[in-house]
Amino acid sequence: MLAMNATLHGTGVRLHCYQASRVSCMLYMHIAERKRFRSSACTVIPTSAQASAASHHRNRQQRGIEAKAANKAQTQQRSSPITGPNGSNGWAWILGGCTLTVGTALPALYLAVHWQQILKMAPGQRTTGILAADGIFILTASLFFYCGHQFGLQRNGPTVPFPGPMVELDGTRRAPDFFVPYVSFIILASILTPLASLGYLVWEGQTDLGVSTLGVYVLCLVVQIASESVSLRLGTPMWVQVPQAYQPYRLWQLARGLCLGSALGGPEWLQTLLGLLIVLWVFNYGAQMQFSPWLYRWHLQPMDTES
């Protein structure tokens, strides 16, 4: 009996433990289910307005990041030295002076020093020597403009394309007062009149004198006009420098022609024409220098522009 009672007592204890374990498991599952329900109930489904606000906030953050990156790039660009096309920023400007000195001043000085020997040369040799000196100047000036154009290709940051001279903010091209009549007068006085005079000298049998005085003058003037046209089509900043480089040499050409015509016994009207051309081109040089700010479109710059 005692053994049977003990066995029944053990069985009862085991049943009690099993029921207690089952109750605790059910209680744990119930608590976990309530927690899951509460967490899902607290989740708010975003409306369309809330989604739009969140998208707008993300866009603002993205724009802010991009603006900071752009400001950092600009700061680094301003702090870095502005260099030319070959990575040079200290010696490039010397090339212009060296080029014009070698190709312009040295041939002119050679002719001036050996002027007496040149006058004693045969007419054909003398004309060839003068043409060679002026040809060297043309090649030198072209090289000078090309180098300046290459250095002008360097850009630092976004830039606006050059619209051309005489172009206002609305895109219209407007010349200053009396500009068109003045250009017409310059063409008549500086090109057509010397050409007619050159033809008259050739007709009279003074071809060498005409070519050495008026022929080389017209040649350089035609090359200057062609260089200005090419510079304007390319949009290079050197287009303003073309007449500034040619006009001082033109004054030297005309003064050389005066000396040559006087030494060779040229007609008096040729001397008068060369003197009037000198006066005309000095006046034109001063006029061009006077409206240089207008040529650079300075009147279109803001009032707070310093340079």
Side-chain angles (χ1 to χ4, degrees):
M1 290 293 294
L2 293 176
M4 184 180 295
N5 289 334
T7 302
L8 291 176
H9 179 72
T11 303
V13 171
R14 285 195 297 269
L15 288 175
H16 179 73
C17 291
Y18 171 76
Q19 290 177 355
S21 175
R22 185 178 179 183
V23 171
S24 62
C25 290
M26 293 178 63
L27 180 62
Y28 176 77
M29 292 175 63
H30 179 70
I31 294 174
E33 183 69 19
R34 287 180 61 86
K35 287 183 179 181
R36 186 181 65 82
F37 178 77
R38 288 178 181 178
S39 62
S40 61
C42 293
T43 303
V44 180
I45 300 176
T47 62
S48 60
Q50 291 174 341
S52 177
S55 176
H56 180 67
H57 179 68
R58 287 193 299 269
N59 292 336
R60 288 185 59 184
Q61 287 182 340
Q62 183 65 26
R63 287 196 298 267
I65 294 174
E66 293 176 355
K68 289 180 180 180
N71 292 334
K72 183 179 179 180
Q74 291 179 359
T75 303
Q76 293 177 352
Q77 189 177 38
R78 286 193 296 264
S79 61
S80 61
I82 298 177
T83 61
N86 296 325
S88 58
N89 61 344
W91 55 268
W93 60 273
I94 303 177
L95 291 178
C98 294
T99 303
L100 291 181
T101 300
V102 172
T104 303
L106 294 184
L109 290 175
Y110 179 84
L111 292 178
V113 171
H114 299 86
W115 187 247
Q116 295 300 325
Q117 290 83 350
I118 292 174
L119 293 177
K120 296 177 183 179
M121 290 180 179
Q125 293 178 349
R126 180 172 54 246
T127 303
T128 302
I130 293 175
L131 280 172
D134 292 346
I136 292 174
F137 166 74
I138 292 175
L139 294 176
T140 301
S142 301
L143 178 62
F144 169 74
F145 300 141
Y146 175 77
C147 293
H149 171 68
Q150 292 299 316
F151 287 118
L153 294 178
Q154 175 70 26
R155 292 292 187 269
N156 291 274
T159 58
V160 180
F162 176 65
M166 310 179 193
V167 178
E168 301 297 328
L169 289 176
D170 56 358
T172 59
R173 188 181 299 274
R174 182 174 62 86
D177 298 336
F178 307 108
F179 184 78
V180 176
Y182 175 72
V183 171
S184 302
F185 170 73
I186 287 293
I187 293 175
L188 176 63
S190 65
I191 299 179
L192 298 182
T193 302
L195 277 176
S197 302
L198 175 61
Y200 181 75
L201 288 174
V202 173
W203 181 71
E204 280 196 340
Q206 296 180 318
T207 303
D208 292 322
L209 178 61
V211 173
S212 301
T213 55
L214 295 177
V216 292
Y217 158 81
V218 173
L219 174 63
C220 287
L221 185 57
V222 171
V223 174
Q224 174 189 337
I225 295 174
S227 299
E228 291 185 25
S229 301
V230 173
S231 299
L232 284 175
R233 284 200 303 269
L234 293 177
T236 172
M238 298 300 292
W239 72 272
V240 180
Q241 309 301 327
V242 174
Q244 295 181 6
Y246 271 92
Q247 291 191 48
Y249 189 82
R250 181 172 300 116
L251 296 177
W252 152 252
Q253 275 186 317
L254 295 172
R256 184 187 63 194
L258 278 174
C259 297
L260 187 62
S262 177
L264 298 178
E268 185 177 352
W269 63 265
L270 178 61
Q271 302 295 96
T272 303
L273 176 61
L274 293 174
L276 291 177
L277 287 175
I278 290 177
V279 174
L280 174 65
W281 286 113
V282 169
F283 174 82
N284 182 77
Y285 193 74
Q288 186 180 16
M289 294 299 99
Q290 189 68 39
F291 60 75
S292 289
W294 177 78
L295 288 177
Y296 284 108
R297 306 173 79 245
W298 188 259
H299 63 288
L300 300 181
Q301 304 299 321
M303 293 298 296
D304 57 350
T305 301
E306 297 180 358
S307 61

